[in-house]
């Protein structure tokens, strides 16, 4: 039998902050979050809202061109780095390692939020969160979260 998901949430842009809070409360102990979903599913939008909720002061944008965006926030009085990565343009694990992705995901005290993780799934340390976002209408999304 397949293991049950940690969480399943349906949300719209009107309720996305609730979804972010719910996920953060139940999963902040995991530091590598893989966001799987089609183009336009809402991966960047969710990461953006999450970063704002965490108090990130840096401008949060899609890391399509830089591949890695770096943000900072305070957790338990300590400065933490968020690596917001987009692996879409990477061909495979080797390219991901050469681009510095492994160095990011190995940092236990920092966070990695990864779009298009299926390009190099072998790089994800265990445990990590595998999060799927599916469109269920023009404004509604279904998120399912697994611990892998
Ligand atoms: N509930 C929702 N969650 C996230 N995005 C939504 C939602 N409803 C509508 N949208 C829209 O869908 C698009 C998602 O784009 P984006 O976050 O860039 O997707 P991705 O990073 O997965 O390619 C945005 O235009 C956003 O405004
Ligand atoms: Mg995106």
């Amino acid at each position: 039998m397949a293991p049950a998901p940690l969480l399943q949430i349906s949300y719209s842009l009107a309720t996305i902050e609730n979804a972010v809070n719910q996920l953060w409360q139940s999963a902040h102990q995991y530091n590598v979050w893989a966001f799987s979903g089609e183009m336009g599913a809402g991966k960047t939008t969710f990461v953006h809202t999450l970063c704002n909720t965490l108090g990130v002061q840096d401008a949060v944008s899609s890391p399509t061109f830089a591949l890695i965006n770096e943000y900072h926030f305070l957790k338990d009085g300590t400065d933490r780095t968020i690596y917001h990565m987009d692996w879409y343009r990477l061909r495979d694990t080797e390219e991901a390692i050469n681009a510095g992705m492994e160095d990011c995901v190995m940092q236990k005290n920092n966070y990695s939020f990864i779009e298009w993780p299926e390009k190099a799934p072998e790089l994800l340390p265990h445990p990590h969160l595998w999060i799927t976002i599916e469109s269920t209408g023009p404004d509604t999304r279904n998120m399912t979260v697994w611990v892998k």
Side-chain angles (χ1 to χ4, degrees):
M1 215 171 69
L6 175 72
L7 206 63
Q8 227 168 338
I9 318 171
S10 292
Y11 63 95
S12 65
L13 289 179
T15 62
I16 192 168
E17 285 174 24
N18 291 330
V20 161
N21 283 319
Q22 207 181 325
L23 180 53
W24 181 253
Q25 270 171 33
S26 42
H28 64 90
Q29 67 270 34
Y30 301 102
N31 70 318
V32 175
W33 298 26
F35 291 87
S36 174
E38 289 174 10
M39 196 84 70
K43 303 178 292 298
T44 300
T45 303
F46 195 89
V47 169
H48 195 141
T49 309
L50 176 56
C51 288
N52 286 347
T53 301
L54 295 177
V56 166
Q57 302 290 317
D58 314 278
V60 178
S61 62
S62 176
T64 309
F65 299 103
L67 299 188
I68 308 176
N69 287 352
E70 198 178 316
Y71 320 127
H72 293 269
F73 74 108
L74 278 179
K75 183 171 189 264
D76 310 323
T78 311
D79 178 76
R80 312 291 179 130
T81 302
I82 293 169
Y83 297 106
H84 180 194
M85 291 169 256
D86 189 336
W87 292 359
Y88 185 73
R89 290 197 299 150
L90 299 174
R91 215 170 324 151
D92 52 25
T93 303
E94 191 188 346
E95 270 196 19
I97 292 170
N98 290 338
M101 304 305 179
E102 192 179 33
D103 295 335
C104 295
V105 299
M106 296 307 283
Q107 295 180 24
K108 299 249 180 295
N109 292 319
N110 293 321
Y111 283 84
S112 288
F113 300 150
I114 303 153
E115 300 187 39
W116 298 102
E118 38 280 285
K119 286 301 183 84
E122 303 86 353
L123 272 198
L124 301 171
H126 297 278
H128 64 261
L129 296 184
W130 187 267
I131 300 162
T132 60
I133 305 178
E134 285 167 329
S135 191
T136 48
D139 297 318
T140 51
R141 301 293 187 266
N142 205 344
M143 171 173 279
T144 310
V145 183
W146 285 271
V147 177
K148 299 247 162 144

